[in-house]
Amino acid sequence: KRLLGHITKVMSLYYTKGCFAETFNFSLINPRLAKELRQAKAEADGAMFIREALNSSEKLYGFKGSDIMREAQGSNPIWIDQAVNDTMKLVKKGLAAYAETPVGGCTSVTPCDKRAHGNFYSCPGCRHLIAKESVLDDTQTLMEYDLAELDPNSIEYKAEKQNLEDFIALRNRIIKKAS
């Protein structure tokens, strides 16, 4: 009976890797360190948002990306300084976030159940999307490289080829929406 309890506990910990439950367990073990890590992650998210979105020199796509482009065009450099300060304040309050994705970035503060499973096909309609053509191109290049490594007669090749075709259609849809 003790062995079964041990296996259950070990398997529970194994399945919670990368899950909120593991974070919860960690915060019970060392709450001060967990708080410090959450604050560091929030600051890193804010810095990534500033670097990848606010200070980006390339065109941004998606709802959030278009908003940033609209605000930045025709405004003076003071807007960027104020946006950076406002962003860091929002991040500290937990009201802003940034996560890199294969299409660019996402500013959702809540976990995305679609993105978690690699489903980026709902991203073009999401209000948190900041897409970048360079990131889309890099993702497509990686997918093409992976496809070239597979046997053309295998099922994996056919599945990856379909994923690549779907991603190219997604890329074109994101860019076309901004036109």
Side-chain angles (χ1 to χ4, degrees):
K1 189 174 180 181
R2 241 183 331 166
L3 180 61
L4 184 59
H6 172 73
I7 290 173
T8 305
K9 187 174 184 179
V10 169
M11 291 309 292
S12 295
L13 289 172
Y14 171 79
Y15 284 117
T16 61
K17 292 223 180 291
C19 175
F20 178 75
E22 183 179 7
T23 307
F24 180 74
N25 287 337
F26 182 73
S27 66
L28 290 176
I29 295 169
N30 193 341
R32 195 181 89 227
L33 182 60
K35 181 181 178 186
E36 188 176 322
L37 288 174
R38 277 193 302 275
Q39 289 172 339
K41 183 192 178 317
E43 289 175 14
D45 285 350
M48 286 295 295
F49 177 73
I50 291 165
R51 187 183 86 190
E52 297 295 325
L54 296 180
N55 290 336
S56 178
S57 60
E58 70 179 287
K59 183 174 180 179
L60 303 176
Y61 300 92
F63 285 122
K64 187 71 172 178
S66 297
D67 285 345
I68 292 168
M69 292 293 291
R70 194 171 25 259
E71 288 287 329
Q73 288 176 345
S75 64
N76 56 24
I78 296 170
W79 176 82
I80 293 291
D81 293 337
Q82 184 176 354
V84 168
N85 293 334
D86 291 347
T87 298
M88 291 314 286
K89 287 177 188 173
L90 290 172
V91 164
K92 286 180 181 172
K93 293 178 183 176
L95 300 174
Y98 185 82
E100 288 185 294
T101 68
V103 294
C106 181
T107 60
S108 176
V109 293
T110 58
C112 180
D113 60 341
K114 293 161 189 65
R115 206 179 61 212
H117 299 288
N119 178 4
F120 298 96
Y121 303 104
S122 62
C123 289
C126 178
R127 64 188 170 107
H128 302 289
L129 174 66
I130 300 176
K132 295 171 85 173
E133 197 164 356
S134 63
V135 176
L136 291 164
D137 292 342
D138 290 346
T139 302
Q140 183 177 338
T141 302
L142 285 171
M143 292 175 82
E144 289 168 347
Y145 176 80
D146 288 343
L147 186 65
E149 296 293 311
L150 297 174
D151 175 21
N153 297 322
S154 68
I155 291 174
E156 292 87 4
Y157 179 87
K158 292 173 184 155
E160 289 301 318
K161 186 172 186 204
Q162 185 61 51
N163 286 343
L164 176 60
E165 290 169 0
D166 291 345
F167 185 81
I168 291 170
L170 171 73
R171 178 192 180 285
N172 294 338
R173 192 171 36 164
I174 289 171
I175 293 172
K176 186 178 179 183
K177 265 189 165 182
S179 303

